[in-house]
Amino acid sequence: MDTHYFRHNFGVMVFRDAYLKRNLFRQYVKYETIALYQQGITYLQCQGWNILGIVCDGRRGIFQAFSHFPIQMCHYHQQAIVTRYLTCNPRLEAGVELKQIASSLTTSDKESWCCKLQQWHDKWEHFLKEKTYCLETKRWHYTHKRLRSAYRSLKKNNTDYLFTYLEYPELSIPNTTNSLEGCFSNLDSKLRNHSGLKMSRKIKITDYFLTK
């Protein structure tokens, strides 16, 4: 499940069956919220769908809200979070190494990947603790805040949510939302071919495309 935005405050929230490659439910939203995702899951259950697991982008609060399901953090989204903090080409050696670890998610098992992340932290622990004094605020702050944030993101998710798909092999849970992202990409392509459309027309095209 994920939300695709047409503009800053308007998008479509879609719930897709990973096995059937079929969109089961959609709703147009101003903002994606946990409550709206819960409404979507409840609607599907009321329609008779059995939810075996959830793959999502890991937005704040979503893991707690759906803790009664096996839930997988999308590897693509996790790597995008790290890239957002470190950029595509990190300048610091520590950043280069951490980005390589994040990039190895899809080809690693939980034990070896967690070991690599811990080894990285042991190596750069003192570097991460470096602080800089700001003359304007007269306060100390961490020198490498973005590096710390990238690490915390990986550390927070690794134990419970990055390798769910390996813990339940019988469910064949995908490790990314790529099936849905591909659907969104195709939708964008269709809409680009009809640039200048009013939003009402875009919604009609989206409705047709997502129900095919």
Side-chain angles (χ1 to χ4, degrees), residues 119-141:
Q119 288 173 346
W120 179 91
H121 181 265
D122 292 343
K123 177 180 178 180
W124 297 103
E125 182 175 8
H126 295 295
F127 185 72
L128 291 171
K129 291 180 179 178
E130 288 182 3
K131 290 188 174 183
T132 299
Y133 185 73
C134 180
L135 292 174
E136 293 181 359
T137 62
K138 294 182 170 50
R139 291 184 178 180
W140 291 88
H141 62 82

Side-chain angles (χ1 to χ4, degrees), residues 182-198:
C183 182
F184 289 152
S185 294
N186 289 335
L187 173 61
D188 281 340
S189 178
K190 297 291 188 298
L191 293 176
R192 278 196 299 271
N193 291 334
H194 300 83
S195 59
L197 287 175
K198 293 181 179 180

Side-chain angles (χ1 to χ4, degrees), residues 123-199:
K123 177 180 178 180
W124 297 103
E125 182 175 8
H126 295 295
F127 185 72
L128 291 171
K129 291 180 179 178
E130 288 182 3
K131 290 188 174 183
T132 299
Y133 185 73
C134 180
L135 292 174
E136 293 181 359
T137 62
K138 294 182 170 50
R139 291 184 178 180
W140 291 88
H141 62 82
Y142 286 108
T143 306
H144 311 292
K145 290 188 292 185
R146 300 186 71 83
L147 183 63
R148 289 172 59 87
S149 295
Y151 167 73
R152 280 202 309 270
S153 174
L154 291 170
K155 181 66 175 177
K156 177 184 69 176
N157 291 329
N158 68 32
T159 303
D160 298 318
Y161 309 115
L162 287 175
F163 295 96
T164 304
Y165 77 108
L166 294 179
E167 296 171 7
Y168 297 88
E170 72 281 4
L171 297 181
S172 299
I173 299 174
N175 63 343
T176 70
T177 58
N178 282 358
S179 175
L180 188 51
E181 294 299 329
C183 182
F184 289 152
S185 294
N186 289 335
L187 173 61
D188 281 340
S189 178
K190 297 291 188 298
L191 293 176
R192 278 196 299 271
N193 291 334
H194 300 83
S195 59
L197 287 175
K198 293 181 179 180
M199 185 56 67

Side-chain angles (χ1 to χ4, degrees), residues 39-179:
Q39 288 175 18
I41 291 295
T42 299
Y43 171 81
L44 290 176
Q45 290 176 317
C46 290
Q47 295 297 309
W49 291 96
N50 181 25
I51 311 299
L52 300 179
I54 295 174
V55 187
C56 62
D57 64 0
R59 67 181 294 105
R60 187 186 300 273
I62 204 163
F63 298 128
Q64 293 74 20
F66 297 106
S67 59
H68 47 298
F69 296 112
I71 186 164
Q72 169 68 40
M73 169 69 179
C74 171
H75 284 181
Y76 172 82
H77 282 87
Q78 178 63 76
Q79 290 167 347
I81 291 171
V82 171
T83 298
R84 188 163 66 243
Y85 285 124
L86 302 180
T87 75
C88 292
N89 297 292
R91 291 180 296 136
L92 298 173
E93 182 183 352
V96 172
E97 292 181 6
L98 187 60
K99 197 166 187 304
Q100 289 173 344
I101 292 173
S103 298
S104 69
L105 262 175
T106 57
T107 57
S108 302
D109 61 84
K110 181 176 181 178
E111 184 177 356
S112 62
W113 190 86
C114 290
C115 182
K116 285 191 292 187
L117 186 63
Q118 185 60 51
Q119 288 173 346
W120 179 91
H121 181 265
D122 292 343
K123 177 180 178 180
W124 297 103
E125 182 175 8
H126 295 295
F127 185 72
L128 291 171
K129 291 180 179 178
E130 288 182 3
K131 290 188 174 183
T132 299
Y133 185 73
C134 180
L135 292 174
E136 293 181 359
T137 62
K138 294 182 170 50
R139 291 184 178 180
W140 291 88
H141 62 82
Y142 286 108
T143 306
H144 311 292
K145 290 188 292 185
R146 300 186 71 83
L147 183 63
R148 289 172 59 87
S149 295
Y151 167 73
R152 280 202 309 270
S153 174
L154 291 170
K155 181 66 175 177
K156 177 184 69 176
N157 291 329
N158 68 32
T159 303
D160 298 318
Y161 309 115
L162 287 175
F163 295 96
T164 304
Y165 77 108
L166 294 179
E167 296 171 7
Y168 297 88
E170 72 281 4
L171 297 181
S172 299
I173 299 174
N175 63 343
T176 70
T177 58
N178 282 358
S179 175

